[in-house]
Amino acid sequence: MKCTKCGRDAVYHARYEGKFYCHKHFNEMVESKVKQTVRKYGLIKRGDRIAVGVSGGKDSVVLLHILHKLSQKFPFEIIAITIDEGIAGYRPESVEIAKKNAKMLGVEHRIYSFKEYIGFTLDETVNIMGSFEKGERVGACSYCGVWRRWLLNYAAQDVNADKLAVGHNLDDEVQMFLMNIMRGDVARLGRTGPYYEVIHEGLVPRIKPLREVPEKEIVLYAVLNNIEVDFSECPYAVEAFRAEIRDWINEMEEKHPGTKYQILRSYDKMFPLLAKAYAHRDLNRCKICGQPTTGEICKACSFKLQVQEKAKEKGITFRIE
Ligand code: SF4
Ligand code: ZN
């Protein structure tokens, strides 16, 4: 097949729009989707300092490369942030890859670890709390998700960033949307969406410049442009429900190309109403760490207290600050 634009050999067929792309025009198409997302919602302003959360995985590394490219033409600054959760056999490699990519692009890079800022690695937490898979307490992902969100916000403030860019792609957004609908958790959909709002001075606004780029295109972008990314999977990943939704959406996309974009458009239309109804605007400061929360103590601190308590019970000692 030939590229719809220039007639050269095509490397990609975008079934949802019936077009073929050569390497050059594929790159342009992906980059212009990111540019349009940023422009449509004013996600990045002139002179902004953008912290990019880079795990080393395909989405965040591609995000770093594309934002770096955009920052050459449009005046904003980027700084890469990596959260090291402390997951043996998985994180060390991906942290290395994040480091290499930032170095190659000449982007400043900082690493923030659970061990240093929470007090224990995720592996230690699982050891202390018992694992969900064994039917004990909460699963690793619950701690990980809450602490990562907390630490990313801390890190973004620490580097004086105006915004925090994360690598959510089209598939992630659509999965998240449907999962929350199926769980009846519509309120959650009002908290993050196509654009950001300043909800609290202690909360660095999150932006998702890749939310209109399908996962498939991110993988291909990395491969075609020889970008080193980590494709390995976290050993704690057991999100069976998400996997079912993902397979179902992919099946629908196969039968009805464009389904993912249609679902995203529906979400975008509903978002202003959801945000109005559900975004918390009356947040307090956590009594322990000072980060914004709806209650008195934030979820990250209450998880930390639980783990400290259990460690004490079990007589396990760690360096806890
Ligand atoms: Fe953390 Fe779970 Fe993701 Fe692993 S799969 S990095 S434990 S949230
Ligand atoms: Zn707190």
Side-chain angles (χ1 to χ4, degrees), residues 85 87 90-91 114 122 140-145 148 234-239:
E85 300 92 346
I87 305 172
Y90 168 61
R91 215 19 121 210
F114 277 11
L122 195 66
C141 295
S142 308
Y143 294 96
C144 187
R148 189 176 41 232
C234 172
Y236 296 120
V238 282
E239 271 200 285

